[in-house]
Amino acid sequence: MNELVQSKIAYLKLLIKKNLLAIAVGGIIFVSSFIVLLPEILHVIPAGYVGVIYNPLANGVNTKNILNEGAHILVPWSKVTQYSIQTQSQTLNLEVLTLDQLKTKATVIFQFEIDSKTVPYLHKYIGTDYVSKIVTPEVTQITRQVIGKLSSKDAFTSSLTAAAKDIAIDTNERIINSFNPDGLIKLHLLDINSVQITNVEFPESVSQAIQQKVTEQAKADAMVFVLQAAQKEAERKKIEAGGIKSFQDTIGSGLTDNYLRLTGIQATEKLANSNNAKIVIFGSGQSGLPLIFDDFKNANSKNSVAK
């Protein structure tokens, strides 16, 4: 048994020795072929992308399998097309007509992302230029329809926020309902995540007229508050006057000479307790009230005038 194995090994060595050149050449050809074909068989999918496989020898686009992030080895005749599944943004500058037939310029910014599960169908039936084929036309048409329902006044105000939401919703529904390849109903290809109408421009004369109207409305609203404040102030003064009159009516009958004399004495006491120098002169008679002077200079001055 051992002799048989040894004889086979010896024969194999002899065979290799005789064909060493051919084996070396074959090895070089194999390695060279692998190096040359490596870019064709090795496919690296970057982050945020997926790959769609097209095999001309196996029914074309592979709608069941997609390539996720990472490295993949395929047969050399397979072709891989990469699609971004990240959120993308597009800007449209459109001319639209409002409900009152006013030509308006609007800047529309919308964000969207494709569905990674249905990318093979997107590639097979629409292609890599799907944005220009279905997304932009649908957003443009829906935007014109939505803004066309607004008057020039509404299109210049916060109504644009609700209009932007309607554009996103209507565009998604339109794409889903209008694309049904091979009898596939409601095939979900992508989502319009958000729409923003960042700028609406009317002809200059119209813009000035609208702005003036809005300004005058704001002034009118402000005047309402001014009038309300004036009315409240008038009511306050009326109430205050009523209180003063009621006070006067209440104490009017009780203002006797003795009460007034007592009030004068109390005032004199308060002034006398002050630290400032002063002169107190009492009038003559029973009803005479004191006269108060801050200092001698003022007193002398008043006496001079009296003379």
Side-chain angles (χ1 to χ4, degrees):
M1 183 68 179
N2 291 335
E3 293 180 357
L4 181 60
V5 173
Q6 290 178 356
S7 63
K8 288 184 178 180
I9 293 175
Y11 175 76
L12 182 61
K13 289 180 179 180
L14 180 62
L15 184 63
I16 293 175
K17 186 176 180 179
K18 288 182 178 181
N19 299 280
L20 183 61
L21 180 61
I23 294 174
V25 172
I28 293 173
I29 293 174
F30 175 80
V31 174
S32 300
S33 300
F34 181 79
I35 295 174
V36 171
L37 293 175
L38 184 61
E40 301 297 329
I41 64 176
L42 180 63
H43 300 274
V44 179
I45 308 300
Y49 286 79
V50 294
V52 178
I53 305 171
Y54 173 74
N55 190 338
L57 303 180
N59 299 324
V61 176
N62 189 335
T63 58
K64 296 181 179 180
N65 298 314
I66 61 174
L67 302 181
N68 294 315
E69 302 172 3
H72 305 270
I73 295 179
L74 303 174
V75 292
W77 50 86
S78 293
K79 182 180 179 181
V80 176
T81 303
Q82 297 180 7
Y83 282 83
S84 173
I85 57 175
Q86 298 174 341
T87 300
Q88 304 178 61
S89 178
Q90 293 286 326
T91 301
L92 299 178
N93 295 311
L94 306 176
E95 284 192 357
V96 296
L97 288 176
T98 59
L99 183 62
D100 44 2
Q101 299 300 306
L102 183 64
K103 184 178 290 186
T104 307
K105 292 182 179 180
T107 300
V108 180
I109 301 176
F110 63 94
Q111 296 178 341
F112 66 95
E113 61 183 19
I114 63 176
D115 190 338
S116 61
K117 298 178 182 178
T118 58
V119 172
Y121 294 100
L122 181 68
H123 179 70
K124 181 174 182 177
Y125 295 103
I126 300 176
T128 55
D129 54 347
Y130 64 93
V131 176
S132 61
K133 283 185 177 180
I134 62 171
V135 180
T136 300
E138 294 294 348
V139 172
T140 300
Q141 183 177 0
I142 297 298
T143 299
R144 286 175 174 161
Q145 291 177 357
V146 172
I147 294 183
K149 298 177 182 179
L150 301 177
S151 65
S152 56
K153 179 182 178 181
D154 294 334
F156 203 67
T157 61
S158 58
S159 298
L160 289 179
T161 302
K165 293 181 180 180
D166 291 340
I167 292 172
I169 295 173
D170 293 348
T171 303
N172 283 327
E173 291 181 355
R174 177 73 68 85
I175 293 176
I176 291 176
N177 294 329
S178 62
F179 186 73
N180 300 310
D182 290 347
L184 298 174
I185 300 175
K186 294 186 179 299
L187 185 62
H188 186 270
L189 298 178
L190 54 88
D191 274 322
I192 307 294
N193 295 332
S194 67
V195 175
Q196 296 179 348
I197 304 176
T198 60
N199 189 26
V200 176
E201 296 181 1
F202 295 108
E204 185 176 356
S205 59
V206 177
S207 296
Q208 291 177 355
I210 294 175
Q211 290 177 355
Q212 183 177 1
K213 184 176 181 180
V214 173
T215 301
E216 293 299 329
Q217 182 64 41
K219 290 181 179 179
D221 294 340
M223 186 56 65
V224 172
F225 290 105
V226 172
L227 294 176
Q228 290 177 350
Q231 184 178 3
K232 294 294 183 182
E233 179 64 15
E235 292 177 357
R236 185 192 68 80
K237 289 183 178 180
K238 183 178 179 181
I239 294 173
E240 182 181 8
I244 294 173
K245 183 178 184 302
S246 177
F247 172 76
Q248 291 175 342
D249 293 342
T250 301
I251 68 172
S253 59
L255 290 176
T256 62
D257 292 340
N258 292 332
Y259 177 78
L260 294 174
R261 188 177 296 108
L262 175 62
T263 303
I265 293 172
Q266 291 175 346
T268 302
E269 289 179 350
K270 291 182 180 178
L271 292 171
N273 292 329
S274 174
N275 294 327
N276 298 327
K278 60 188 70 65
I279 299 173
V280 181
I281 300 176
F282 290 89
S284 62
Q286 295 181 354
S287 61
L289 294 175
L291 300 177
I292 309 301
F293 299 95
D294 290 342
D295 51 34
F296 291 99
K297 183 177 180 180
N298 291 337
N300 293 332
S301 176
K302 292 184 178 180
N303 289 333
S304 297
V305 174
K307 291 178 180 180

